[in-house]
Amino acid sequence: MATIKDVARAANVSIATVSRVLNNKSGFSEDTRKAVEEAIEELGYVPNGVARGLISKRTNTIGLLVPALSSMLVSEMVSGIERIVHEQGSSLIVCHTESNGKKTMQYLQLLLAKQVDGIIFTSGVLLQEYYQMIERSGIPLVLLSTESLHLPVPSVKVNDRLASFHATEYMIQHGHKKIGMISGNRNDMIAGVPRVEGFRMALSSHQIHFEESMIASHRGFSYIDGATAFRKLMTDHPDITAIVAASDDMALGMISEAFKMGIKIPEQVSVIGYDNIPICNVSIPPLTTISQPVAKMGEVAAKMVLDMIHGDEKQESVVFPHEIIERQSVKKMN
Amino acid sequence: MATIKDVARAANVSIATVSRVLNNKSGFSEDTRKAVEEAIEELGYVPNGVARGLISKRTNTIGLLVPALSSMLVSEMVSGIERIVHEQGSSLIVCHTESNGKKTMQYLQLLLAKQVDGIIFTSGVLLQEYYQMIERSGIPLVLLSTESLHLPVPSVKVNDRLASFHATEYMIQHGHKKIGMISGNRNDMIAGVPRVEGFRMALSSHQIHFEESMIASHRGFSYIDGATAFRKLMTDHPDITAIVAASDDMALGMISEAFKMGIKIPEQVSVIGYDNIPICNVSIPPLTTISQPVAKMGEVAAKMVLDMIHGDEKQESVVFPHEIIERQSVKKMN
DNA sequence: TTGTACGCGTTATCAT
DNA sequence: ATGATAACGCGTACAA
């Protein structure tokens, strides 16, 4: 690989001059510019970003921590983030932590070592341990699809509890009285707890009867979890007419299971999902669901770190509005 | 941020000694090790990877070029790649090129500047322009889900043509005689051309009548493309009993469209997809499809670059076997 | 066992 | 307008 020295030699100037034309620093004649540019072209010279980073203390790199990569939701986020980051001339290092504390610490160490300019932490609980490490390094941090109640870290998210509340209320407004919930992991502080809370709050604020067994939860949020949870729910409460699902995957799994059980959707049981993954459009029936502007959220989070990097101090957290996408999986009761 | 100097001062040793314990280079007493380690702990010191990279000429970073991020298939690949890369102590910079030549060149420039140790180029045509740039820099390169016929670059992929051939043959073996294809972008050298070729070869090798209009193609490979292509196909050839789709998304879109048109799947029309995205399990009916071991392929590609980085010269290209996942979207004809 | 000093490729501060 | 040179943080040959 050619270095600035090679260019200098080929152009018969000093490295200082090469550096000047490279960075448009003014202080060189048109002739030398040409000579230098020719030499650069000739040698296929590309400035060494590592050396630049060493002196400028900027790597133009930002680190992204996600629990998993192979989910539509996360993909969209990453896509949005990457777009903005690249637009601003930086690049993105992705780390998938599998929600594993040890791995996360490892990745954090790595990102610090790599001298990333900023960090985006996604969909998980920001442990003290993580925070201290980042705080100590002084690297700007923003939370995406999660938040910290007691730590001063800006975040970008939707109000999950409210979204779940609305989803449930939507069922109530459609005349449903016996409503069950298919929840994912109830210990999940992001997608578990708040959605269950929203569900319960909606029922109680409309004075609808509720018992604990009307919430069927499982390990995860996958369609298999949805299928098994649904079966359990229907054996305990065969008179349920509406289901609030904690994810589209679960809702889809539930639909599939209903099909096997001979239960018609939405004629016999209505269902509303959560996430608005693309497949909702083409499921049978098309799935009514809660949508978050995921890509947009990623973009905003990216902008936030970048702004912080550029010195704009602490940013305000932003809560994005969710939206109910009405399709055909909810039937109006009379 | 604390530097090695700070640690040296705090531990009352020279930076050389700190460096030694840091890298386990032997040549220091147990006492000094302790002193140094305490100082490191105390200061929360993390070695500066940028400085290390400058001297070692290794950044422990590999660059990944993908056309798009928000597709299940790509996500899985990225996931597999990231796993291996991280296992080996490196990290991954993702770039989504949107199959745009200009953007790709930009990204390439960026990756060279960042001094990545290796590059994985995914699902697209490796232009001369790209190759020359990378070749010139001497950075190891491997192709994933694509290949180059005339350039000496190792690749990891499945045989798309063969897979499509088998998918078509599968229909033939199930007694179908009037078979149509829903292709994506026919100019796509990766997912377009080879799959259409495989389709035609299967028909002709079984001496089944074929006309050009039995291949309906569209811009992309999405479910909307699938839906519109299917409608076109059925108006031209209402007697078709089987469809080979170039992607699961298209197959799913086609199923949805068939539903609207009152056509029963698979009773009236059978369909086989391509990709085996998770949703195939729960579509109605569950979708028979071609599966590639995507995550595995990503892992292997990652291993290949890493090996090349570690000096293992040119690697052999590997072609992974595809697999037909039998579900319920294909009916046996009598 | 330990320390000194040079170099990695670049930018920036002085001179000239 | 241009050049010499000192940093940036680290690894390492060499000296002690």
Side-chain angles (χ1 to χ4, degrees):
Chain A
M1 286 278 268
T3 79
I4 201 174
K5 273 186 194 164
D6 301 320
V7 177
R9 197 176 313 124
N12 268 322
V13 294
S14 72
I15 62 168
T17 301
V18 177
S19 177
R20 278 190 272 263
V21 337
L22 235 40
N23 305 303
N24 261 324
K25 284 282 184 191
S26 83
F28 51 84
S29 69
E30 195 53 32
D31 284 350
T32 54
R33 134 169 277 137
K34 252 192 199 147
V36 169
E37 276 171 352
E38 270 171 24
I40 289 177
E41 181 66 24
E42 187 83 20
L43 300 169
Y45 166 74
V46 177
N48 184 326
V50 176
R52 280 184 161 176
L54 184 56
I55 182 160
S56 69
K57 277 140 178 359
R58 277 269 170 83
T59 52
N60 294 321
T61 304
I62 91 123
L64 173 66
L65 265 47
V66 295
L69 276 166
S70 42
S71 120
M72 214 51 222
L73 221 47
V74 175
S75 305
E76 295 268 319
M77 271 189 188
V78 177
S79 187
I81 295 171
E82 206 274 345
R83 181 177 314 123
I84 298 301
V85 167
H86 182 245
E87 267 178 29
Q88 311 267 341
S90 288
S91 35
L92 191 67
I93 291 185
V94 300
C95 313
H96 78 288
T97 62
E98 299 165 11
S99 307
N100 173 332
K102 188 139 186 183
K103 267 199 147 190
T104 305
M105 284 302 282
Q106 254 187 48
Y107 271 118
L108 246 24
Q109 173 105 9
L110 200 85
L111 292 178
L112 297 205
K114 285 240 158 77
Q115 310 286 115
V116 295
D117 300 331
I119 295 180
I120 298 178
F121 182 92
T122 312
S123 344
V125 180
L126 182 72
L127 299 183
Q128 275 284 348
E129 195 182 16
Y130 308 159
Y131 177 71
Q132 280 175 5
M133 187 156 182
I134 301 174
E135 162 68 12
R136 189 164 195 176
S137 72
I139 298 177
L141 167 69
V142 355
L143 267 26
L144 177 53
S145 250
T146 181
E147 68 184 332
S148 174
L149 278 343
H150 54 296
L151 266 17
V153 184
S155 62
V156 176
K157 60 186 288 285
V158 306
N159 188 330
D160 271 289
R161 197 155 46 129
L162 187 58
S164 180
F165 183 93
H166 282 157
T168 311
E169 213 169 38
Y170 180 84
M171 288 302 192
I172 297 171
Q173 284 158 358
H174 278 69
H176 292 276
K177 308 264 186 239
K178 289 287 281 184
I179 307 175
M181 174 160 197
I182 294 181
S183 162
N185 185 332
R186 301 261 316 249
N187 296 320
D188 186 315
M189 293 303 293
I190 309 306
V193 175
R195 295 181 192 173
V196 169
E197 278 181 18
F199 173 71
R200 301 179 70 147
M201 283 173 58
L203 291 188
S204 78
S205 81
H206 285 266
Q207 293 170 304
I208 291 186
H209 172 69
F210 163 80
E211 37 191 291
E212 193 56 45
S213 61
M214 294 174 79
I215 301 181
S217 54
H218 222 243
R219 290 202 209 130
F221 295 82
S222 70
Y223 48 78
I224 295 175
D225 296 318
T228 61
F230 177 65
R231 191 170 278 273
K232 183 165 59 175
L233 207 56
M234 292 313 279
T235 55
D236 291 358
H237 299 276
D239 53 345
I240 277 178
T241 66
I243 300 275
V244 174
S247 79
D248 286 343
D249 278 342
M250 297 193 84
L252 260 11
M254 170 248 159
I255 290 178
S256 157
E257 192 69 12
F259 182 73
K260 289 181 195 151
M261 295 165 72
I263 299 177
K264 293 220 183 300
I265 313 289
E267 289 75 8
Q268 292 171 262
V269 177
S270 292
V271 58
I272 184 168
Y274 200 115
D275 287 343
N276 194 31
I277 59 180
I279 209 72
C280 296
N281 280 303
V282 292
S283 62
I284 301 178
L287 186 63
T288 294
T289 191
I290 296 285
S291 160
Q292 315 179 33
V294 210
K296 190 77 195 162
M297 287 162 66
E299 292 178 4
V300 168
K303 275 186 192 130
M304 272 169 74
V305 245
L306 289 167
D307 283 349
M308 290 171 76
I309 292 169
H310 296 332
D312 287 13
E313 282 312 316
K314 303 276 172 193
Q315 303 280 313
E316 287 298 321
S317 290
V318 7
V319 175
F320 268 82
H322 57 267
E323 195 183 345
I324 295 184
I325 308 291
E326 296 195 81
R327 283 192 271 252
Q328 299 159 37
S329 64
V330 176
K331 180 194 157 200
K332 190 138 201 151
M333 304 287 278
N334 305 324
Chain B
M1 284 276 268
T3 80
I4 199 174
K5 273 186 195 163
D6 301 321
V7 177
R9 197 176 313 124
N12 267 323
V13 295
S14 73
I15 63 167
T17 302
V18 177
S19 177
R20 279 191 270 264
V21 337
L22 235 40
N23 305 304
N24 262 323
K25 283 284 183 190
S26 83
F28 50 83
S29 68
E30 195 53 31
D31 284 350
T32 52
R33 132 168 277 139
K34 251 191 200 150
V36 170
E37 276 171 352
E38 271 170 22
I40 289 177
E41 181 67 23
E42 187 82 21
L43 300 168
Y45 168 74
V46 178
N48 184 326
V50 175
R52 280 183 160 177
L54 186 56
I55 183 163
S56 70
K57 279 147 180 348
R58 277 272 170 83
T59 52
N60 294 322
T61 305
I62 91 122
L64 172 66
L65 266 48
V66 294
L69 276 166
S70 42
S71 119
M72 213 52 221
L73 219 47
V74 175
S75 306
E76 295 268 319
M77 271 188 188
V78 178
S79 188
I81 295 171
E82 206 275 344
R83 182 178 314 122
I84 297 301
V85 166
H86 182 245
E87 268 178 29
Q88 311 266 341
S90 289
S91 37
L92 191 67
I93 291 186
V94 301
C95 313
H96 78 288
T97 63
E98 300 167 10
S99 307
N100 173 332
K102 189 140 186 181
K103 266 199 150 189
T104 304
M105 285 301 282
Q106 255 187 48
Y107 271 118
L108 246 24
Q109 173 104 9
L110 201 86
L111 292 179
L112 297 205
K114 286 240 158 76
Q115 309 287 115
V116 295
D117 301 331
I119 295 180
I120 298 178
F121 182 93
T122 312
S123 343
V125 180
L126 182 72
L127 299 183
Q128 275 284 350
E129 196 182 15
Y130 309 159
Y131 176 71
Q132 280 175 5
M133 188 156 180
I134 301 173
E135 162 68 11
R136 189 164 195 175
S137 73
I139 298 177
L141 168 67
V142 355
L143 268 25
L144 176 53
S145 249
T146 181
E147 68 183 333
S148 174
L149 278 343
H150 54 296
L151 266 19
V153 184
S155 62
V156 178
K157 61 186 288 286
V158 307
N159 188 331
D160 271 290
R161 200 156 42 128
L162 187 58
S164 180
F165 182 93
H166 282 157
T168 311
E169 212 168 40
Y170 180 84
M171 288 303 192
I172 296 170
Q173 284 159 359
H174 278 68
H176 292 275
K177 307 266 186 233
K178 288 287 281 184
I179 307 175
M181 174 161 198
I182 295 181
S183 162
N185 185 334
R186 300 262 312 252
N187 297 320
D188 185 315
M189 293 303 293
I190 309 307
V193 175
R195 295 182 192 171
V196 169
E197 277 182 17
F199 173 71
R200 301 179 69 147
M201 283 173 58
L203 292 188
S204 78
S205 81
H206 285 266
Q207 294 170 303
I208 291 186
H209 172 70
F210 162 81
E211 37 193 291
E212 193 55 46
S213 61
M214 295 175 78
I215 301 180
S217 53
H218 222 242
R219 290 203 210 129
F221 295 82
S222 70
Y223 48 79
I224 295 174
D225 295 318
T228 60
F230 176 66
R231 191 169 278 273
K232 184 165 59 174
L233 207 54
M234 291 313 279
T235 55
D236 292 357
H237 299 277
D239 54 345
I240 277 177
T241 66
I243 300 273
V244 175
S247 79
D248 286 343
D249 278 343
M250 297 192 85
L252 259 12
M254 170 247 158
I255 290 178
S256 156
E257 193 69 11
F259 182 73
K260 289 181 195 149
M261 294 166 73
I263 298 177
K264 293 219 182 303
I265 313 288
E267 289 77 7
Q268 293 171 260
V269 177
S270 293
V271 57
I272 184 167
Y274 200 115
D275 288 344
N276 194 31
I277 58 181
I279 210 71
C280 295
N281 279 304
V282 292
S283 63
I284 301 177
L287 186 64
T288 294
T289 192
I290 296 286
S291 160
Q292 315 179 33
V294 211
K296 190 76 195 162
M297 287 162 65
E299 292 178 6
V300 168
K303 275 186 193 130
M304 272 169 74
V305 246
L306 289 167
D307 283 350
M308 290 172 75
I309 292 169
H310 297 332
D312 287 12
E313 282 312 316
K314 303 277 172 188
Q315 303 281 312
E316 287 298 320
S317 290
V318 7
V319 175
F320 269 82
H322 58 268
E323 195 182 345
I324 295 184
I325 308 291
E326 297 195 83
R327 284 193 272 252
Q328 299 158 36
S329 64
V330 176
K331 181 194 156 200
K332 189 137 199 148
M333 305 286 278
N334 306 325

